[in-house]
Amino acid sequence: MDAYDLTPAQQLEVARAYAELVEECMRVFGHDFRIKVADSTPYPRNVGYITWLGDNQVERYGYGTPPGRVDDPYESRSVSDAEFRVLEGKAAHVGGKKVPVGGCSGAAEGILNAGAPSFDGRRTPGRVDALRLQNFMDDVSWSAHKDPGLHVADAAWAECMHHAGYAYFQPLEAVGDPRWAITAKNDHDPPPQGTPAEIQTAVDDHRCRLETNYYGKRQAIYAAYQQKIIDANPRLFADLRILMDTRLRNARQVNSGAPAVRPWD
């Protein structure tokens, strides 16, 4: 499904445009609402699906995340009730001004999606449509997760790790080792991070994943399941590709300062 999606760097471009549009809209209704977009290097594609450790600098951080790496381009923030009503369009009017349908968030999505084909023949695609590709990927991951080929990959990895002196049976056990894993049970007093034992384990883990083609096996399994969905919905995925390209094109116009119609003006 990568062929129908934007690259991580392009997704950051869209995220910046979305944030700018929402902030501009919120100011119209009296809110100094800021969305901080992570100015960082995004993870490569499909890191979670193939459990890729190659970009994590395991020899330095072990199973930890290198500084500046994020999955979500938006940094979390609290939202007041008054902000939420305008952001999500839960109020029709504020201060005598009409709130856009869908709120400032929906209006920003409308600008980004303007010009893309409709999925139901009646309207401009909305935020739900923009999330369809990720939803497809998530749905496929549940099916792929049950594939017996993953158990074969785990077994080959485990044998490699056993030769190196470890007693893990699958990679999740190594990542989740209580000597370094932070969980809901210990987050109040987390174990030490980046210890020599963790780093050595992560290095050996990554080596075994490479030597047994663990990453490649997972990638092949997930890709096969994704292809089945694409083959069953060719028109939908063609429209999704157009939608992604449209969002990027419109985002670049916003980011360049090009004038555009704002539904909150």
Side-chain angles (χ1 to χ4, degrees), residues 79 168 197 238:
V79 180
Y168 303 118

Side-chain angles (χ1 to χ4, degrees), residues 109-141:
E109 290 287 353
I111 291 173
L112 292 172
N113 296 339
S118 170
F119 289 92
D120 61 8
R122 298 190 306 274
R123 58 179 175 80
T124 298
R127 73 183 77 178
V128 173
D129 299 302
L131 292 173
R132 282 193 183 191
L133 194 58
Q134 185 59 53
N135 291 337
F136 273 125
M137 292 180 181
D138 291 342
D139 290 344
V140 167
S141 72

